[in-house]
Amino acid sequence: MADAPRIELIGLCKSFASTPVIANVSMQLHGGNSHVLLGESGVGKSVVLKCILGLLRPDQGSVLIDGRNLSKMKRAFLDRSGVLFQGGALFDSLPVWQNITFRKLHGSDRLSLHKALMLAEEKLERVGLGKEVARLFPVELSGGMQKRVALARAIAFDPEFLFFDEPTSGLDPIKSVAISRVIRDVVQDRNVTALTVTHDMNCVRAVAEGVTMLRCGKIYWEGGLTDFVSNDNAYISKFSEGHRNLQDDHR
Amino acid sequence: MKLMNPLVVPVLVGRFSLSVLARVGRAFRFVADVFMAMLLPPYYCKEFARALVVIGYNSLPIVALTTLFTGGALALQIFSGGTRFNAEAAVPSIVAIGMVRELGPVLCGLMIAGRVGSAIAAEIATMRVTDQIDALETLSTNPLRYLVAPRVAAATLVLPCLTGIGDIIGILGGYLVGTTRLNFSPAEYLDHTMRFLETGDIVSGLAKGALFGSIVALCGCYCGLHAGKGARGVGTATTRSVATASILIIAANYVMTELFF
């Protein structure tokens, strides 16, 4: 019998100002699986992600976490999740090490400042940055470094669920590969349930086990990475082989 | 000729009314949520201390300069009007009562709305636009508790202090003008100032300051959190925050004056 899905989306619909963005999106994410949500820019990938995280309330449909409705356990779910936002979303007013350990700097189970700094330095090394970065502020970092700091924040406290929104956008090919490798290694080492939202095929090839493709706000294709890459559907093969050309054509 | 549907106007009026009521409802809900967030833990003391410095300490120069010159100008105007019916001697007491009851809190409120309210709105709107607010939520942190409650608490506590300082400096401005330009002796000016000033005047002014402080911070935070997308969204939130806070301060000042009348 197949494992029960850890995250299940059932018929999600979301509109903005009466313009439908996603319609009837259903998918399942299983434990220890790295899934990729793929599609052109503007098809609603990030909206699906925000619905899963409870940042947007779907107009219809529901999100189940381990079989329970997200609305009843959002806080507990987020406590066990790490999120990498598209632009990094680092807090400008805090140094890098406080950004990484933010979750444990407040509240009853807070870390001592020394331990927090040590942990931040360890995570920075994990994403290929030096310890000296820990005391800098986000504005002092390049875009690629900010992305890696945001990745360090996402993985800082060994979450059970990881979400990456366009993890390689705005990075050069070498940095993209490095980030994709870190994501793949973290998912494999920790056996976490991961969802990556992207339109970068190199990232898909590096991290995906399962692929869901969105087109015009609806699920267009679902399956394994191998099936996706070898698929002879015109749209999919155009996307997987020359998705940049396809986007140019659309523009 | 095609006649207009007679229901169009009532429908439009109804839609507009519902939209206004929805906005007012959202604003009141926001205020209630913020006060709940201020009462319940966790408390972010570091954010609160930072807000105290930004709103209070850093605003001292602007408050001091504004009230100093206003106190001086007020003394000149009252003297000019008072000479018409031999009431020159009332200059010190009217300057003191005018500053403490009315001009001190209103000027402080408006200056803080311009300096601090806009900064709060711009900072939080930028955080909204760059997904930092969403990031806070995913890090199990309630933005109302982390961002809004410390700022509102700090502004509510600091504005009465700034108002008190502004009152003293405004009276000092009147004193300087009175003793150097209007031929009052220093002892006579101070004696007239103290004789007519009552505790109730000071308390009402400080209470206004506290209310104006919470208005400024609430407007800044609300507009910032509800900012639209991009740089334009940040700009609009900032402008809206200052305009709304200024109007609310003027309106609340009238209501408070009626209460303390």
Side-chain angles (χ1 to χ4, degrees), chain B residues 77-91 94:
Chain B
Q77 292 284 17
I78 293 166
F79 185 83
S80 164
T83 49
R84 293 173 202 171
F85 37 89
N86 298 323
E88 299 94 332
V91 170
I94 295 179

Side-chain angles (χ1 to χ4, degrees), chain A residues 50 53-55 74-75 78-79 81 83 85-87 89-94 98 102-103 106 153, chain B residues 42-44 46-47 50 123 126-127 130-142 145-146:
Chain A
K50 287 190 173 182
L53 293 168
L55 300 172
K74 183 178 163 189
R75 179 69 192 266
L78 291 177
D79 280 344
S81 304
V83 185
F85 284 88
Q86 192 169 352
L90 298 174
F91 306 126
D92 305 325
S93 57
L94 302 177
Q98 288 188 20
F102 185 88
R103 196 188 284 272
H106 310 282
R153 181 172 70 181
Chain B
Y43 306 112
Y44 295 95
K46 205 172 162 189
E47 286 298 303
R50 189 171 152 255
E123 185 182 1
T126 306
M127 291 182 76
T130 56
D131 285 335
Q132 291 179 53
I133 303 285
D134 286 345
L136 272 179
E137 286 201 46
T138 62
L139 291 166
S140 306
T141 304
N142 183 338
R145 295 216 168 120
Y146 181 73

Side-chain angles (χ1 to χ4, degrees), chain A residues 8-24:
Chain A
E8 187 174 11
L9 315 185
I10 305 169
L12 287 190
C13 300
K14 181 72 187 171
S15 304
F16 292 107
S18 67
T19 306
V21 178
I22 55 170
N24 199 26

Side-chain angles (χ1 to χ4, degrees), chain A residues 228-242:
Chain A
F228 180 79
V229 175
S230 59
N231 201 299
D232 53 5
N233 175 300
Y235 179 74
I236 293 176
S237 54
K238 219 172 175 186
F239 197 96
S240 62
E241 287 160 21

Side-chain angles (χ1 to χ4, degrees), chain A residues 143-206:
Chain A
M145 289 166 91
Q146 287 187 17
K147 205 98 180 187
R148 281 189 278 173
V149 171
L151 178 58
R153 181 172 70 181
I155 63 174
F157 295 101
D158 303 329
E160 290 174 41
F161 303 97
L162 273 170
F163 302 95
F164 306 103
D165 191 0
E166 306 283 6
T168 55
S169 69
L171 299 180
D172 61 69
I174 296 168
K175 299 267 181 1
S176 294
V177 170
I179 288 268
S180 299
R181 276 191 188 143
V182 172
I183 292 173
R184 186 189 61 198
D185 293 347
V186 169
V187 171
Q188 284 175 356
D189 294 351
R190 308 275 177 195
N191 200 33
V192 299
T193 307
L195 177 65
T196 306
V197 165
T198 186
H199 54 240
D200 175 3
M201 278 309 297
N202 292 324
C203 178
V204 174
R205 288 192 184 95

Side-chain angles (χ1 to χ4, degrees), chain B residues 192-211:
Chain B
H192 276 74
T193 299
M194 300 306 289
R195 191 186 300 169
F196 295 101
L197 202 57
E198 294 173 0
T199 314
D201 300 328
I202 298 168
V203 170
S204 71
L206 299 185
K208 281 182 179 179
L211 178 67

